[in-house]
Amino acid sequence: MNIVDRRPNPKGKSLSNRQRFLGRARAEVKSAVQEALRKRKVADVDHGEKVAIPTRGIAEPIFHHSRRTGRTEHVVPGNKEYVKGDEIPRPTGGQGRGGSQGSPDGSGEDAFEFTLSKEEFLDMFFEDLELPDLVKKSLKETFAVDLQRAGYTVTGSPANLSVRRTMRNSMARRISLRRPKPWELEALREAIAGARARGAEDEAERLRRELDRLEHRSKIIPFIDPLDVRYNRFDRVPRPNTEAVMFCLMDVSGSMTEAMKDLAKRFFMLLHVFLIRRYRHVDIVFIRHTSTAEEVDEETFFYSRETGGTVVSTALEKMLEIARARYPTDRWNIYAAQASDGDNYGADSGRCVTLLGSEVLPLCQYFAYVEVGDGMGGSLTGLSRDSDLWRAYSEVAPAHPHFVMRRVNDPSQIFSVFHELFAKGGTRA
Amino acid sequence: MPDSHSPGLRLEAATPLFSGPNWDYGALRRVYDAVERIALEEIGLDVYPVQIEVITSEQMLDAYASVGLPLMYRHWSFGKRFAYHETLYRKGLQGLAYEIVINSNPCICYIMEENSMTMQTLVVAHAAFGHNHFFKNNYLFRQWTDAHGILDYLSFARDYVQKCEERHGVDAVERVLDAAHALKDHGVNRYAHRTKPNLAEERRRAEEWRAHAEATYNDLWRTVPGAGKDREDPDAAEARFQEIKRELGLPEENLLYLIEKRAPRLEDWQRELVRIVRLISQYFYPQKQTQMMNEGCATFVHYEIMRRLHDKGMITEGSMLEFLHSHSSVVFQPDFDDPRFGGFNPYALGFAMMSDIRRICEEPTDEDREWFPEIAGSGDGYGVLRHAWANYRDESFILQYLSPEMIRRFRLFHVSDDSTKPALRVEAIHDEVGYRKIRSGLSRQYDLSRREPDIQVVDVDLTGDRCLILAHYVHNGVLLEEKSCRAVIRHAATLWGYSVKLLEIDSATDKTLKTYEVAPPG
């Protein structure tokens, strides 16, 4: 008998099968993910998800008997009161049938349930989302360059010396020109010494001449010749500029109820996860405002509580200020997302429109405005009354196709709104 | 039954082999040796050499996914199975098996690291001796499977599928495998008219063939005009087709075999893939036919061994209780009206029948003498069992050995279900007049050829549109489930390359009840 410990064997042997399965079930999983998202708390956005998908696309059909035709017989255990000739009403489920164990291959199941890992889940969710117009058209031919390998060259800087290629050339040349090998010379020297010791001077002299000849030869055929040397060659490939910054503007004023703030935070949280997952180099600037605006770090943005009055324009001004100082438009793609309940200090809305129309929007690739409701407004009054800011922004919207407005009243809408806002290929209305 | 071991043994092992729940390699080896002595000397088992491999629960799930085999080619359906079992396991709805055993030589037993030492003892007795003995001795396994070659063949299959994926793309390979999987239950030879596949030979053959094809490939052949089929006169053509039909050996029940050999449009690598699926399916065919006996044998063996270990004082009372707890949940059989009921538990029925046979041999009643005159009171229970394990499968085993005592104990009853009538009817219960009917009914329930649809290739329209014609012989009016049937025929058409037709023919009247026809995709 032999005992083998297989525990240290590499894990995840079935990973590729799992990926194939997910790929296969992609359409179903995707719609299941969407479905799951509708019920889901955003705070859980970073977790995996259990999804149930219909078996259509992943069915493994085999020939099997239909249960509703013909005459069949069964022997089952556990008789309690029946005697021969009794009639039993037909059971509705699979009860009273032998054989079926409810295996995953059985056709009886309606849905197939399993758990997606966090990565798989988020990949599925963000799969067809993107930052719109990431590359500014005017910037497509800009400075950023990538180096790309492009074979070998005979000139270059020592840092790019290709040792392997050089040694290969050198070796080929040494072999073809028959450069004496060091150990051949060594052997010859020993033979000379041996001959001398034996007193065979003629022999030693002959060998010495041979040695001289070979040593001369190895001098004129160098180990590495400048001819052998090769350098790695790189082409400079211009790379479109994809540096981007996202401004997150959030209203934390007193008019926002806790529920609204929660909605706004959820929205930004999703945006945050999306950006850090999908883009390697995206700066995110968090700005929150009451009657004044300030730039804060991520932690404060999401978790601190603060209230005050509402002057929306301060946030826009803050954004402009930061953009001018740190993100010149000729180098950066600028995005902004704003969340607010739409209440604003009386005269400020006009100023917001001016700022937005003349200064902010020309700067931005895309500006998304999300208005959070308290979840009742619409349904109680039948027609939701447009807020100050909504009405004001509505004036700007038609002239700027890259400005989009959406309303969110309920946590369950966040995912779909988010999806609409960042869907690939301009399905945004 | 009084134990026949010598008093010397009792003295020798007065101390338990282990104590406490944790296992270690030393204890495992001691237990193995003790179990081996009992199994070989006292029960008279005959086993392949054993290799025990310790694995984690994740690896156990892996093994579940690839139908219990240690190596398997890649396919999405295994990923699906993995996801399914993983979910059940994580939710706590399903425990994992304590072991998996591979019918190979040496016999490989996977045991889980989480098992307690008592469970490891149980697993060694159950798998390394019970299943192992069954694999080595049962006639179906001897006839159909090549325990020496299976691991090599699986590794070949995995590499071959991978190479095909590299050459032809994952999608193309998946298409063939999907289609072949749909037909895999109909890819087995049920009767031994061909020699047992030698899997090592099989692997060498495939590799040589490919190397030869590569070495002798000459693009020129493609340009040489064909043999001029058009110029043949019609009579000769007709004769030739008849000849081919005869060669096809129709009717043929092994659909995959016929497709592998005769499908007009398959490339050679596709044929090889079909062959891989077919051979692996054939490898599992005996297991499907002997599941109840196999588990029964293993359960009976582990019960006997554990009992004897306990009698000799080699395991503690605590271990014995732990074992009995686990054993009784394994052999639990829910009644038909219990929500947990999902058909017969092969462990329960198998174990009960094995124990019953020993009882008949050793303490027969008058009823037993009447029903089993040749074994009742023979005294050699183990001998009769070894004979049964070697020479029966589930269906014949039940027909031969299910005793009235067992029928009473399980309170078996026989119901008939006529879909045209509103209610089921009880045909027989556990009484004098019902025993035989129940016994033959239960035996039929285990008959694979009745459980699986009887489907055969009956004709190939070689002169016309090359349509492959299948027939499902309908017994007692039980038709095929329509949706899956259509899907499977579509898969068959993918492989065949032309239309596939399926006729549902009543086996009693020869009337065609239903026809399906599916054109190949594309």
Side-chain angles (χ1 to χ4, degrees):
Chain A
M1 194 249 327
N2 221 345
I3 303 181
V4 185
D5 189 355
R6 292 282 180 207
R7 287 172 292 176
N9 276 16
K11 286 179 178 174
K13 220 167 83 177
S14 58
L15 201 63
S16 70
N17 284 333
R18 182 177 172 89
Q19 280 159 353
R20 281 168 193 213
F21 163 60
L22 284 181
R24 176 97 181 185
R26 179 158 288 270
E28 278 94 350
V29 171
K30 198 144 175 57
S31 64
V33 164
Q34 305 284 1
E35 184 57 37
L37 283 174
R38 240 157 258 149
K39 297 176 209 142
R40 173 164 224 224
K41 291 202 185 108
V42 184
D44 306 341
V45 77
D46 245 6
H47 296 292
E49 175 67 43
K50 193 168 64 209
V51 297
I53 61 173
T55 47
R56 280 191 314 275
I58 50 156
E60 296 170 84
I62 51 167
F63 284 124
H64 60 92
H65 289 131
S66 159
R67 299 193 156 182
R68 284 185 296 278
T69 53
R71 296 174 303 285
T72 46
E73 297 176 333
H74 311 277
V75 175
V76 284
N79 182 15
K80 296 187 180 64
E81 75 260 6
Y82 301 130
V83 294
K84 186 177 173 188
D86 277 0
E87 302 221 318
I88 312 172
R90 179 166 287 121
T92 43
Q95 226 177 41
R97 309 268 183 173
S100 158
Q101 302 279 340
S103 71
D105 315 307
S107 62
E109 65 194 326
D110 317 311
F112 178 82
E113 200 170 83
F114 63 100
T115 310
L116 288 175
S117 73
K118 169 185 144 192
E119 273 72 29
E120 287 164 343
F121 181 79
L122 290 176
D123 280 347
M124 285 280 176
F125 179 66
F126 292 136
E127 188 185 49
D128 46 8
L129 302 182
E130 64 176 4
L131 285 178
D133 305 324
L134 182 58
V135 180
K136 285 194 171 176
K137 285 193 180 70
S138 59
L139 290 182
K140 261 190 178 157
E141 305 84 22
T142 48
F143 333 94
V145 284
D146 269 345
L147 291 178
Q148 190 179 16
R149 273 192 177 278
Y152 301 94
T153 168
V154 292
T155 58
S157 77
N160 287 341
L161 182 73
S162 168
V163 176
R164 177 185 293 227
R165 186 55 70 112
T166 303
M167 290 312 291
R168 196 161 99 184
N169 288 342
S170 144
M171 189 170 176
R173 188 180 45 78
R174 278 182 278 130
I175 291 171
S176 62
L177 295 181
R178 297 206 190 78
R179 183 179 195 266
K181 313 264 188 314
W183 57 86
E184 289 171 358
L185 296 177
E186 196 51 43
L188 214 48
R189 282 193 198 99
E190 272 172 25
I192 293 170
R196 288 241 166 83
R198 284 202 313 278
E201 282 300 325
D202 288 356
E203 166 102 0
E205 181 57 22
R206 191 180 59 75
L207 288 174
R208 199 188 51 76
R209 272 201 304 277
E210 175 69 9
L211 179 66
D212 285 348
R213 193 180 67 78
L214 291 183
E215 278 178 338
H216 178 64
R217 196 172 172 78
S218 66
K219 264 187 205 112
I220 59 169
I221 305 172
F223 190 79
I224 293 179
D225 191 281
L227 276 175
D228 302 331
V229 178
R230 292 291 180 277
Y231 298 92
N232 290 325
R233 196 185 128 175
F234 294 94
D235 275 351
R236 300 170 82 78
V237 184
R239 172 170 54 92
N241 189 351
T242 55
E243 282 180 308
V245 56
M246 171 67 80
F247 286 93
C248 300
L249 315 176
M250 182 163 62
D251 184 352
V252 291
S253 62
S255 62
M256 296 270 284
T257 62
E258 271 311 307
M260 286 166 156
K261 281 182 192 167
D262 184 52
L263 273 184
K265 281 178 187 170
R266 285 170 181 222
F267 176 79
F268 284 119
M269 228 174 242
L270 197 57
L271 184 63
H272 188 208
V273 174
F274 168 58
L275 291 176
I276 57 179
R277 259 196 97 70
R278 284 296 296 271
Y279 298 96
R280 256 194 303 170
H281 306 293
V282 173
D283 278 11
I284 306 178
V285 177
F286 297 103
I287 297 173
R288 59 172 192 180
H289 73 91
T290 52
S291 54
T292 55
E294 57 179 334
E295 187 187 356
V296 294
D297 61 10
E298 187 185 326
E299 193 72 10
T300 325
F301 187 78
F302 284 120
Y303 300 111
S304 91
R305 297 155 170 275
E306 200 192 61
T307 55
T310 318
V311 183
V312 176
S313 61
T314 55
L316 295 175
E317 275 162 4
K318 187 79 187 171
M319 173 184 163
L320 282 173
E321 180 195 321
I322 293 170
R324 290 207 186 98
R326 305 213 303 256
Y327 302 105
T329 40
D330 55 345
R331 294 245 309 279
W332 290 83
N333 296 287
I334 297 179
Y335 296 85
Q338 184 184 8
S340 164
D341 60 349
D343 279 352
N344 200 1
Y345 168 71
D348 189 53
S349 291
R351 179 163 165 67
C352 285
V353 169
T354 325
L355 266 179
L356 197 67
S358 58
E359 297 196 50
V360 174
L361 286 180
L363 223 60
C364 290
Q365 300 293 105
Y366 186 62
F367 191 109
Y369 172 63
V370 177
E371 188 164 301
V372 290
D374 53 10
M376 317 188 231
S379 55
L380 270 182
T381 53
L383 276 170
S384 65
R385 190 180 57 84
D386 286 344
S387 68
D388 297 344
L389 207 55
W390 185 271
R391 252 175 307 161
Y393 276 7
S394 300
E395 297 168 21
V396 194
H400 298 278
H402 59 289
F403 176 66
V404 180
M405 299 160 61
R406 283 282 181 282
R407 269 206 190 90
V408 179
N409 281 317
D410 186 271
S412 64
Q413 296 169 341
I414 285 189
F415 283 100
S416 54
V417 165
F418 188 82
H419 220 266
E420 281 171 39
L421 286 175
F422 293 99
K424 239 179 223 174
T427 49
R428 303 175 298 280
Chain B
M1 180 201 118
D3 281 324
S4 53
H5 55 249
S6 65
L9 264 175
R10 190 189 292 275
L11 288 176
E12 178 192 21
T15 52
L17 294 164
F18 58 89
S19 59
N22 296 330
W23 63 271
D24 59 64
Y25 291 106
L28 208 52
R29 200 166 283 278
R30 281 198 302 282
V31 160
Y32 181 89
D33 291 340
V35 169
E36 183 179 39
R37 194 154 355 131
I38 296 175
L40 302 190
E41 290 168 13
E42 299 178 25
I43 310 183
L45 301 184
D46 167 29
V47 295
Y48 290 125
V50 176
Q51 170 154 326
I52 289 178
E53 307 199 350
V54 184
I55 60 175
T56 62
S57 56
E58 186 189 321
Q59 288 167 324
M60 180 58 93
L61 279 167
D62 267 340
Y64 265 45
S66 48
V67 283
L69 292 174
L71 312 156
M72 201 54 176
Y73 53 83
R74 292 199 193 132
H75 190 256
W76 63 269
S77 63
F78 304 132
K80 169 182 162 183
R81 220 153 285 142
F82 185 89
Y84 175 80
H85 288 295
E86 193 189 20
T87 309
L88 289 187
Y89 177 58
R90 300 251 179 274
K91 273 196 212 158
L93 291 183
Q94 172 193 307
L96 291 182
Y98 301 115
E99 43 75 27
I100 281 188
V101 54
I102 312 290
N103 170 22
S104 61
N105 183 8
C107 177
I108 297 177
C109 302
Y110 293 100
I111 62 178
M112 288 235 286
E113 61 171 347
E114 281 104 288
N115 296 350
S116 69
M117 190 61 223
T118 308
M119 292 313 293
Q120 304 293 33
T121 313
L122 165 62
V123 161
V124 166
H126 182 89
F129 291 94
H131 284 306
N132 192 351
H133 172 84
F134 197 84
F135 287 145
K136 189 172 177 189
N137 292 281
N138 185 265
Y139 79 107
L140 282 172
F141 290 92
R142 296 172 75 99
Q143 193 172 354
W144 284 116
T145 62
D146 174 13
H148 298 266
I150 181 66
L151 291 180
D152 280 347
Y153 186 72
L154 288 173
S155 107
F156 154 74
R158 189 187 54 189
D159 295 346
Y160 190 87
V161 170
Q162 190 173 354
K163 269 186 210 136
C164 285
E165 283 172 348
E166 282 160 14
R167 282 171 196 221
H168 308 286
V170 175
D171 287 348
V173 171
E174 208 162 75
R175 228 175 356 259
V176 177
L177 287 179
D178 283 356
H181 282 183
L183 294 171
K184 71 176 187 301
D185 289 341
H186 303 277
V188 294
N189 295 319
R190 291 188 167 76
Y191 308 101
H193 54 93
R194 296 192 187 95
T195 49
K196 164 169 107 177
N198 178 336
L199 293 175
E201 178 66 20
E202 184 65 35
R203 166 192 178 166
R204 203 184 46 72
R205 182 197 64 77
E207 271 164 8
E208 266 176 14
W209 199 93
R210 202 178 61 240
H212 175 77
E214 268 169 16
T216 57
Y217 177 76
N218 188 339
D219 199 43
L220 259 186
W221 289 114
R222 208 169 38 76
T223 65
V224 175
K229 290 188 185 103
D230 311 340
R231 274 167 280 142
E232 253 177 324
D233 68 284
D235 285 351
E238 179 57 29
R240 207 165 55 83
F241 286 132
Q242 286 307 325
E243 177 63 23
I244 290 172
K245 221 174 239 183
R246 202 163 39 248
E247 268 180 31
L248 288 176
L250 297 178
E252 168 67 60
E253 60 172 359
N254 190 337
L255 307 192
L256 283 184
Y257 177 78
L258 187 106
I259 284 170
E260 177 202 323
K261 297 295 178 206
R262 304 289 176 181
R265 280 190 170 172
L266 285 189
E267 309 242 355
D268 290 314
W269 62 271
Q270 292 171 316
R271 283 180 213 280
E272 193 63 42
L273 291 182
V274 172
R275 187 179 182 84
I276 286 172
V277 174
R278 180 170 74 82
L279 292 180
I280 292 177
S281 179
Q282 184 79 58
Y283 172 80
F284 279 114
Y285 188 57
Q287 312 216 357
K288 277 159 76 180
Q289 292 183 85
T290 56
Q291 194 206 11
M292 185 272 287
M293 281 192 79
N294 201 342
E295 294 303 352
C297 165
T299 310
F300 180 80
V301 166
H302 84 224
Y303 184 75
E304 284 301 301
I305 289 176
M306 292 303 278
R307 210 170 51 85
R308 281 162 185 260
L309 282 175
H310 177 244
D311 286 351
K312 291 174 206 246
M314 292 165 111
I315 55 176
T316 59
E317 297 293 325
S319 290
M320 191 62 186
L321 282 175
E322 183 187 350
F323 157 69
L324 285 174
H325 173 74
S326 150
H327 175 78
S328 53
S329 55
V330 163
V331 299
F332 172 68
Q333 172 66 58
D335 288 346
F336 77 100
D337 50 0
D338 190 310
R340 290 167 291 181
F341 180 72
F344 277 98
N345 173 358
Y347 295 85
L349 187 62
F351 176 68
M353 283 188 69
M354 304 301 169
S355 311
D356 189 54
I357 288 175
R358 206 181 69 170
R359 182 193 58 78
I360 293 170
C361 294
E362 287 160 10
E363 299 152 13
T365 60
D366 288 344
E367 182 184 53
D368 294 327
R369 286 184 209 285
E370 182 195 328
W371 279 67
F372 304 102
E374 62 291 355
I375 62 167
S378 72
D380 181 16
Y382 290 154
V384 171
L385 281 172
R386 282 199 303 271
H387 171 78
W389 293 334
N391 297 304
Y392 289 85
R393 54 181 174 157
D394 288 353
E395 173 227 350
S396 53
F397 179 69
I398 289 174
L399 201 56
Q400 181 72 26
Y401 290 110
L402 189 74
S403 69
E405 161 75 22
M406 286 289 298
I407 294 174
R408 285 195 299 272
R409 168 133 53 106
F410 279 90
R411 303 184 85 80
L412 299 180
F413 66 112
H414 183 291
V415 286
S416 69
D417 176 358
D418 188 333
S419 60
T420 58
K421 295 195 182 129
L424 313 180
R425 203 179 122 82
V426 177
E427 296 287 345
I429 63 161
H430 54 281
D431 59 13
E432 208 58 51
V433 286
Y435 291 147
R436 280 174 207 281
K437 193 164 172 61
I438 287 175
R439 184 163 76 170
S440 60
L442 188 61
S443 154
R444 273 199 300 278
Q445 204 157 299
Y446 277 95
D447 186 352
L448 215 53
S449 61
R450 282 170 194 270
R451 233 164 48 197
E452 289 181 351
D454 174 11
I455 291 176
Q456 302 181 8
V457 179
V458 286
D459 204 358
V460 181
D461 186 357
L462 285 170
T463 49
D465 55 7
R466 293 190 171 178
C467 178
L468 179 74
I469 301 171
L470 310 176
H472 170 225
Y473 290 100
V474 177
H475 300 281
N476 296 326
V478 181
L479 298 176
L480 292 176
E481 203 277 312
E482 197 172 317
K483 218 173 96 200
S484 64
C485 173
R486 223 173 268 287
V488 178
I489 299 176
R490 211 170 302 129
H491 279 310
T494 308
L495 291 178
W496 185 248
Y498 295 92
S499 298
V500 173
K501 202 187 263 185
L502 184 138
L503 311 171
E504 300 219 55
I505 298 171
D506 192 320
S507 56
T509 60
D510 257 358
K511 258 200 294 199
T512 302
L513 304 171
K514 204 165 178 181
T515 308
Y516 298 89
E517 183 161 2
V518 175

